[in-house]
């Protein structure tokens, strides 16, 4: 069906709480990504995963960690969320490893940290 | 690391006119340049890309030009329609390297 699904779509948390953002894809893509989008900053890469348990830091990994135990599923975890982590988070996937190609994006998860 | 600058933050055109969005990049080794479209409240959607072995690519009303000497690439949307209104992002990466660096986006408004 070529779909990337993110859950939850909207989330409000208090500072210091833990956050789990989940992403699934039905295309058996090897590579998955987490980006955040902030007004005026575009998209910034947080983490990239090349396959199960093969994760690599992106440009802004501090304050985040990821988990990929199944190829179709990639989670973003914020341990003790901070107000500056309020953002829209996008998950994406692409086929292959090391071959740049089209990214398929989810609809985004809007996180507000109070 | 790579930096991608998107020169127009907003662009307003009349329906039927052409729209041009320009981007520059810094990494000489970059060789893959995709464009993505984001409609309000949605995720990004791939529209067209170009690789460094060509300097022009067209897909229907979309044309991408690449000037490797100037480290500049551009998206031309011809015969614009109101449904072209969205945020457009350019990006760049090295060949065989999954990490895309995005520009900050251009808001395109097409008025009837």
């Amino acid at each position: 069906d070529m779909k990337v699904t993110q859950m939850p779509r909207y989330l409000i948390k208090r500072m210091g709480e833990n956050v789990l953002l989940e992403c699934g894809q039905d295309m058996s893509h090897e590579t998955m990504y987490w980006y955040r989008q902030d007004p005026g900053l575009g998209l910034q890469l947080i983490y990239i995963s090349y396959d199960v348990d093969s994760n690599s830091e992106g440009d802004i990994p501090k304050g985040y960690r990821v988990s990929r135990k199944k190829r179709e599923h990639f989670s973003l975890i914020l341990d003790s969320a901070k107000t500056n982590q309020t953002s829209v988070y996008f998950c994406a996937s692409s086929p292959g490893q090391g071959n740049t190609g089209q990214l398929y994006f989810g609809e985004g998860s809007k996180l507000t940290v109070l | 690391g790579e930096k991608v600058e998107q020169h127009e933050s907003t662009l307003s055109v009349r329906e039927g006119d052409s729209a041009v969005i320009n981007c520059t990049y810094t990494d000489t080794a970059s060789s893959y340049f995709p464009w993505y479209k984001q409609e309000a409240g949605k995720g990004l959607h791939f529209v067209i890309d170009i690789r460094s072995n060509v300097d022009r690519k067209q897909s229907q009303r979309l044309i991408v030009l690449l000037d490797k000497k100037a480290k500049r690439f551009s998206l031309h949307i011809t015969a614009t329609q109101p449904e072209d209104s969205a945020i457009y992002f350019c990006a760049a990466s090295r060949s065989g390297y999954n990490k895309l660096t995005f520009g900050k986006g251009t808001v395109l408004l097409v008025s009837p």
Side-chain angles (χ1 to χ4, degrees), chain B residues 24-83:
Chain B
T24 52
Y25 61 98
T26 57
D27 186 353
T28 311
S30 285
S31 60
Y32 175 67
F33 308 93
W35 289 85
Y36 286 83
K37 176 183 181 182
Q38 184 181 34
E39 294 169 353
K42 302 279 189 182
L44 279 71
H45 182 78
F46 172 85
V47 290
I48 192 170
D49 60 11
I50 190 166
R51 297 183 189 270
S52 59
N53 58 339
V54 297
D55 54 20
R56 185 183 191 277
K57 183 174 180 178
Q58 181 165 1
S59 174
Q60 298 180 320
R61 294 186 297 108
L62 302 177
I63 301 168
V64 181
L65 301 178
L66 173 63
D67 181 344
K68 292 188 290 290
K69 272 189 177 177
K71 287 190 276 190
R72 181 172 56 220
F73 59 113
S74 57
L75 174 67
H76 299 245
I77 307 173
T78 61
T80 53
Q81 301 166 0
E83 51 265 38

Side-chain angles (χ1 to χ4, degrees), chain B residues 1 3 5-6 12 18 28 35-36 38 57 60-61 63 72 78-79 83-84 86-87 92-93 95 100 107 110 112:
Chain B
K3 287 183 172 47
E5 186 172 351
Q6 207 160 336
S12 292
S18 291
T28 311
W35 289 85
Y36 286 83
Q38 184 181 34
K57 183 174 180 178
Q60 298 180 320
R61 294 186 297 108
I63 301 168
R72 181 172 56 220
T78 61
E83 51 265 38
D84 294 328
I87 304 175
S93 76
S95 176
L100 278 174
V107 177
V110 180

